[in-house]
């Protein structure tokens, strides 16, 4: 059932102050005095295929409320820590010491307060070991799960910065951070040995009073489950896989049976977690971190024979993904063959996560993906029997071919976002997966390419198509050609500008195409400088250097990108200066342009190899010919026009 979206912090405080404060506090006091059991808050959590493992836990205690003055003080303290508006570190240290004194004896009230619990989380991030110990002693007893999880992470040395799927996040998905805090990266932190010892005692004491039945009840509790996940993860990563055999460990208490068979209580418990929206997350953690012997037993007993049917389920599919990530080559190949016939069903149901994991793991394990991608191509066929990227993305192009850069971005569904991620995954895996997407991209019309480029989620596909180190040079050249004459409007668009930046990397080996794009951007200088997105593109493409010292820009570009991917025009235009005539024997202007362009590209390539500009080579050749008595441009007829055109083209470019 969807849960109410509640927020903590200043917004909630502002609403409280607007209302009748006294009456609201009294109502909250009366509400919290009522004892709430797990049976009341989480209905249906004890359903394990007819077996009831959950005994009613003790009632939640009420620790009192902060008065108005205390709430206002802690609210202002939280604001000061958030903005980090201190003159120096000494002033902040003094402020924290005074804050700890004010919070003494009120830690449990702070942890219970919807508006002040965030302050307690910030304090934990900034506290000294002695202050952490004091807070821990006050919170001791499996209460205030958010603060407890932060404390566990601090002691373990894991990164403090919350990630997208971090267990540090609260139910409202808030990021609790402190400006000016030194540790901001995602790397593991060095912690004293005493922290590791304290972590082990904390985990052991946390579950010492809980038996198997109570722990399994927490597995289905929306608040208790994230903490239980963290305990299992830390236990198996910080103290070794052998910890699972310890009878006092969290994992052993959850799965105490020696034989993990279908009929055992542990087997019934695992089967109950597979389809539960809360419990399945704990099962994912167990599968990810369990010792190899335990994982193999779980896979053989509960998943090997029915992995295909589980992959179709909305909840069990995520458990299947975790299993696929740990399978060896042989088991993964067998699982892939079992799932391939169901690819059309997965595509129809939008279970793209399973397909994505299959492609990633098969590529990493060196398993042939031709059959898998063939099934994917058939699942997203168009009316002509070809793979349709538009169908995969569930893309519907708007009627406005040239929308305004300031126009509101269209809303996308979760299924469309997942489809975009799937296409990016295909591009990142060489072979049949990447070939499928590149083939579909170069077959799109210019209008569809532009519409994808302007989409905030679909634009990432085109960006990766250019920035992928293994991207075929022919595909990149065709895509750039498809987008030519539209670079300036894309550069002015919030999403399209990122694509233009990606084209800079996408022109590796295609320096002559990079110069064409730069020339197009230079013609729209005033438009780009008037747009925030355009100004970023102008800076990233080094257009100021291009305008002021074009020769230097060309030299740097050709040294960096090169022209290894240059292929001369094959449509009857020779490279030696001969011009193809039309049926009347007269040379067309297009032929002149092609001949001049080919000649200058050869000059460009020769200049790049010698470290000279095209203008320098042209001057040297002119002087050499003049000394030999051959005047440049003396040719008549078609050849003279071609040479004159080439000369004009050279001067314009350099």
């Amino acid at each position: 059932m969807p849960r109410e979206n509640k927020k903590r912090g200043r917004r909630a405080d502002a609403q409280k102050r607007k209302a009748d404060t006294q009456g609201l506090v009294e109502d909250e006091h009366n509400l919290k005095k009522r004892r709430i059991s797990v049976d009341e808050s989480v209905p249906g959590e004890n359903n394990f295929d007819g077996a009831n493992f959950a005994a009613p836990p003790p009632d939640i205690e009420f620790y009192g409320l902060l008065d108005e003055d205390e709430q206002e003080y802690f609210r202002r303290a939280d604001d000061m820590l958030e903005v980090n508006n201190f003159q120096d570190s000494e002033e902040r240290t003094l402020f924290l010491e005074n804050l700890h004194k004010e919070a003494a004896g009120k830690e449990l009230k702070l942890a219970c307060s919807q508006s002040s619990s965030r302050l307690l989380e910030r304090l934990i991030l900034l506290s000294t070991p002695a202050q952490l110990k004091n807070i821990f002693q006050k919170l001791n007893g499996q209460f205030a799960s958010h603060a407890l999880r932060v404390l566990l992470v601090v002691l373990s040395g894991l990164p403090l910065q919350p990630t997208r799927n971090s267990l540090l996040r609260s139910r409202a998905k808030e990021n609790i951070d402190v400006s000016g805090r030194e540790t901001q990266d995602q790397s593991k932190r060095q912690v004293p040995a005493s922290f590791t010892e304290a972590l082990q005692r904390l985990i052991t004491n946390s579950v010492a009073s809980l038996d198997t039945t109570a722990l399994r009840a927490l597995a289905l509790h929306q608040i208790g489950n994230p903490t239980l996940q963290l305990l299992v993860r830390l236990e198996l990563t910080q103290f070794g896989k052998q910890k699972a055999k310890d009878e006092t460990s969290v994992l052993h208490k959850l799965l105490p049976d020696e034989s993990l068979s279908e009929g055992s209580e542990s087997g019934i418990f695992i089967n109950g977690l597979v389809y539960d929206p809360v419990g399945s997350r704990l099962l994912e953690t167990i599968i990810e971190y369990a010792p190899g012997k335990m994982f193999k037993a779980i896979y053989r007993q509960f998943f090997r024979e029915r992995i295909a049917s589980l992959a179709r389920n909305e909840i069990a599919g995520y458990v299947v993904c975790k299993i696929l990530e740990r399978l060896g080559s042989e088991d993964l190949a067998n699982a892939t063959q079992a799932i391939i016939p169901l690819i059309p069903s997965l595509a129809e149901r939008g279970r793209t996560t399973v397909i994505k994991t299959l492609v990633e793991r098969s590529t990493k394990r060196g398993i042939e993906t031709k059959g898998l991608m063939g099934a994917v191509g058939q699942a997203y066929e168009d009316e002509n029997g070809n793979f349709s990227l538009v169908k995969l993305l569930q893309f519907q192009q708007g009627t406005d071919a040239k929308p305004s850069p300031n126009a509101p971005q269209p809303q996308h569904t979760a299924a469309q976002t997942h489809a975009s991620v799937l296409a990016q995954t295909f591009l990142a895996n060489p072979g049949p997966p990447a070939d499928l997407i590149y083939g579909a991209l170069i077959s799109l019309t210019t209008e569809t390419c532009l519409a994808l480029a302007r989409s905030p989620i679909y634009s990432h596909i085109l960006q990766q198509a250019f920035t992928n180190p293994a991207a075929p040079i022919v595909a990149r050249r065709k895509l750039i050609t498809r987008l030519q004459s539209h670079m300036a409007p894309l550069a002015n668009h919030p999403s399209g500008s990122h694509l233009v930046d990606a084209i800079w990397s996408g022109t590796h080996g295609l320096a002559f195409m990079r110069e064409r794009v730069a020339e197009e951007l230079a013609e729209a200088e005033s438009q780009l400088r008037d747009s925030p997105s355009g100004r970023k593109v102008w800076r990233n493409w080094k257009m100021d250097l291009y305008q002021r010292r074009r020769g230097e820009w060309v030299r740097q570009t050709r040294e960096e990108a090169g022209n290894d991917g240059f292929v001369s025009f094959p449509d009857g235009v020779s490279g030696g200066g001969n011009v193809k005539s039309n049926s009347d024997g007269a040379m067309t202007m297009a032929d002149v342009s092609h001949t001049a362009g080919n000649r200058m590209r050869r000059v460009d390539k020769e200049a790049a190899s010698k470290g000279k500009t095209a203008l320098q080579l042209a001057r040297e050749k002119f002087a050499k010919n003049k000394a030999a008595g051959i005047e440049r441009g003396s040719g008549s007829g078609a050849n003279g026009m071609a040479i004159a055109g080439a000369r004009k083209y050279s001067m314009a470019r350099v």
Side-chain angles (χ1 to χ4, degrees):
M1 171 179 287
R3 299 173 51 206
E4 181 183 358
N5 184 19
K6 296 183 178 180
K7 290 188 178 291
R8 303 180 295 170
R10 295 188 299 272
R11 295 182 180 176
D13 291 343
Q15 294 177 357
K16 281 188 176 183
R17 288 193 295 272
K18 291 180 180 179
D20 185 1
T21 307
Q22 184 62 32
L24 185 61
V25 171
E26 290 178 358
D27 291 342
E28 185 178 359
H29 178 77
N30 294 332
L31 177 63
K32 289 194 175 183
K33 286 183 67 175
R34 188 168 67 90
R35 309 288 180 137
I36 303 176
S37 66
V38 174
D39 288 336
E40 292 175 321
S41 58
V42 185
E45 70 173 6
N46 302 330
N47 298 327
F48 278 118
D49 296 341
N52 187 350
F53 287 101
D59 293 338
I60 297 177
E61 298 185 33
F62 176 65
Y63 296 99
L65 296 173
L66 299 170
D67 59 35
E68 294 182 30
D69 293 338
E70 291 172 336
Q71 286 185 1
E72 181 64 19
Y73 172 78
F74 289 124
R75 184 190 67 79
R76 292 183 177 179
D78 184 49
D79 291 341
M80 292 186 66
L81 289 179
E82 183 176 14
V83 300
N84 193 35
N85 191 16
F86 301 98
Q87 294 182 356
D88 49 36
S89 58
E90 182 179 355
E91 182 180 356
R92 188 173 70 169
T93 301
L94 182 61
F95 175 80
L96 289 172
E97 291 177 355
N98 293 331
L99 185 57
H100 274 280
K101 293 179 181 178
E102 291 292 333
K106 306 182 182 71
E107 291 86 354
L108 293 175
K109 292 182 180 181
L110 286 170
C112 294
S113 173
Q114 186 180 25
S115 60
S116 301
S117 60
R118 183 171 60 180
L119 171 64
L120 189 59
E121 295 180 45
R122 295 192 198 277
L123 275 180
I124 291 177
L125 294 175
L126 294 170
S127 295
T128 63
Q131 292 168 339
L132 278 176
K133 180 178 180 180
N134 179 66
I135 295 177
F136 163 67
Q137 290 175 343
K138 296 297 177 63
L139 298 181
N140 193 16
Q142 189 77 339
F143 190 77
S145 63
H146 301 151
L148 178 59
R149 292 199 296 269
V150 174
L151 181 60
L152 288 169
V153 171
V154 168
L155 294 176
S156 68
L158 291 177
L160 289 172
Q161 190 74 6
T163 58
R164 183 174 179 268
N165 297 321
S166 173
L167 292 174
L168 293 181
R169 287 178 177 265
S170 64
R171 282 158 48 179
K173 300 292 190 297
E174 294 184 45
N175 286 321
I176 305 302
D177 199 4
V178 181
S179 301
R181 186 162 55 92
E182 294 181 0
T183 304
Q184 295 289 340
D185 56 17
Q186 295 294 324
S187 59
K188 184 176 175 60
R189 296 171 294 106
Q190 295 294 327
V191 295
S194 58
F195 275 33
T196 304
E197 298 172 0
L199 177 64
Q200 187 170 10
R201 290 196 304 269
L202 175 58
I203 295 177
T204 302
N205 295 336
S206 297
V207 299
S209 60
L210 300 176
D211 57 7
T212 298
T213 302
L215 276 180
R216 289 178 176 175
L218 285 177
L220 297 179
H221 196 280
Q222 294 178 343
I223 297 178
N225 181 281
T227 304
L228 196 57
Q229 291 181 56
L230 186 58
L231 290 175
V232 171
R233 174 186 172 183
L234 293 178
E235 188 177 70
L236 296 177
T237 56
Q238 300 292 318
F239 309 110
K241 302 290 186 180
Q242 68 276 7
K243 185 68 175 178
K245 300 180 180 179
D246 190 345
E247 295 184 356
T248 62
S249 68
V250 180
L251 185 57
H252 189 275
K253 283 191 173 185
L254 285 170
L255 305 173
D257 297 297
E258 292 291 336
S259 175
L260 294 175
S261 60
E262 286 279 354
S264 64
E265 289 190 353
S266 296
I268 299 173
F269 173 67
I270 291 176
N271 281 327
L273 294 179
V274 172
Y275 298 102
D276 188 88
V278 177
S280 61
R281 296 181 179 272
L282 175 63
L283 183 56
E284 292 177 39
T285 303
I286 294 175
I287 290 173
E288 183 176 0
Y289 297 102
K293 185 177 180 180
M294 176 181 286
F295 166 74
K296 291 179 181 178
I298 292 175
Y299 174 66
R300 287 194 304 266
Q301 291 293 329
F302 306 104
F303 297 101
R304 183 169 59 183
E305 301 300 328
R306 53 182 183 142
I307 192 167
S309 60
L310 291 174
R312 293 183 299 178
N313 185 269
E314 181 179 7
I315 297 173
Y318 291 98
V319 180
V320 170
C321 291
K322 289 295 182 181
I323 293 174
L324 295 175
E325 290 175 358
R326 289 203 62 175
L327 290 180
S329 299
E330 183 178 353
D331 288 331
L332 180 61
N334 294 333
T336 302
Q337 292 302 316
I339 296 176
I340 282 179
L342 299 176
I343 292 294
S345 176
L346 294 176
E348 183 180 358
R349 295 166 181 258
R351 306 288 184 261
T352 56
T353 306
V354 177
I355 303 175
K356 170 179 174 292
T357 306
L358 277 177
V359 172
E360 290 176 334
R361 300 308 300 171
S362 296
T363 303
K364 188 167 186 178
R365 293 290 187 184
I367 299 174
E368 178 60 52
T369 58
K370 186 176 181 180
L372 175 61
M373 298 312 300
V376 172
Q378 294 177 1
Y380 297 102
E381 284 183 349
D382 56 16
E383 59 275 6
N384 298 322
N386 300 320
F387 170 72
S388 174
L389 181 61
V390 173
K391 185 175 180 180
L392 167 65
L393 300 178
Q394 304 178 25
F395 176 67
Q396 296 179 354
Q397 187 170 342
T399 57
D400 189 0
K402 295 183 179 180
S404 170
N406 299 324
Q409 296 290 343
Q411 297 297 322
H412 297 92
T413 64
Q416 291 174 317
T417 303
H418 291 164
S420 176
V421 173
L422 180 61
Q424 295 172 54
T425 302
F426 290 165
L427 286 171
N429 290 271
D435 295 342
L436 185 71
I437 301 299
Y438 277 115
L441 284 174
I442 62 178
S443 66
L444 296 176
T445 63
T446 301
E447 291 74 17
T448 303
C449 282
L450 293 175
L452 292 176
R454 291 190 291 262
S455 168
I457 63 170
Y458 297 139
S459 176
H460 294 285
I461 302 173
L462 291 170
Q463 294 173 38
Q464 186 164 344
F466 285 114
T467 58
N468 188 356
I473 197 166
V474 175
R476 289 187 280 120
R477 181 179 181 182
K478 289 183 177 180
L479 286 175
I480 295 174
T481 304
R482 189 70 48 80
L483 296 172
Q484 276 185 338
S485 74
H486 301 281
M487 293 298 177
L490 286 176
N492 286 326
H493 194 276
S495 298
S497 61
H498 296 290
L499 175 59
V500 180
D501 287 338
I503 290 177
W504 174 273
S505 301
T507 52
H508 182 73
L510 299 167
F512 68 98
M513 299 203 76
R514 182 180 291 184
E515 295 170 31
R516 291 183 186 176
V517 176
E519 185 176 355
E520 186 175 340
L521 296 177
E523 292 175 356
E525 177 180 2
S526 59
Q527 300 176 20
L528 267 60
R529 290 191 181 276
D530 290 340
S531 166
S533 302
R535 287 194 293 270
K536 292 180 181 178
V537 172
W538 187 270
R539 180 177 64 252
N540 295 337
W541 273 76
K542 307 176 184 178
M543 293 303 297
D544 284 333
L545 179 62
Y546 179 87
Q547 293 285 63
R548 297 170 184 172
R549 292 184 292 168
R550 185 168 302 185
E552 177 66 17
W553 187 95
V554 170
R555 185 189 64 80
Q556 293 181 9
T557 295
R558 295 176 186 174
E559 288 178 355
E560 176 188 346
N563 272 326
D564 298 336
F566 170 71
V567 180
S568 61
F569 292 94
D571 50 354
V573 180
S574 65
N578 296 325
V579 182
K580 179 180 178 182
S581 302
N582 59 16
S583 58
D584 298 329
M587 182 188 65
T588 64
M589 290 304 297
D591 292 334
V592 173
S593 177
H594 282 186
T595 303
N598 287 341
R599 176 168 296 185
M600 286 315 304
R601 291 186 188 97
R602 289 197 304 274
V603 173
D604 290 346
K605 193 172 184 179
E606 184 181 356
S609 63
K610 295 182 178 180
K612 299 180 180 179
T613 65
L615 181 59
Q616 289 174 330
L617 285 180
R619 286 173 174 171
E620 291 178 1
K621 191 171 184 179
F622 177 79
K624 182 179 179 181
N625 292 339
K626 188 174 182 180
I630 303 175
E631 183 177 356
R632 179 81 173 196
S634 61
S636 60
N639 289 337
M641 293 175 62
I643 294 173
R647 189 175 187 183
K648 182 178 180 181
Y649 182 80
S650 172
M651 295 303 296
R653 294 184 64 186
V654 181

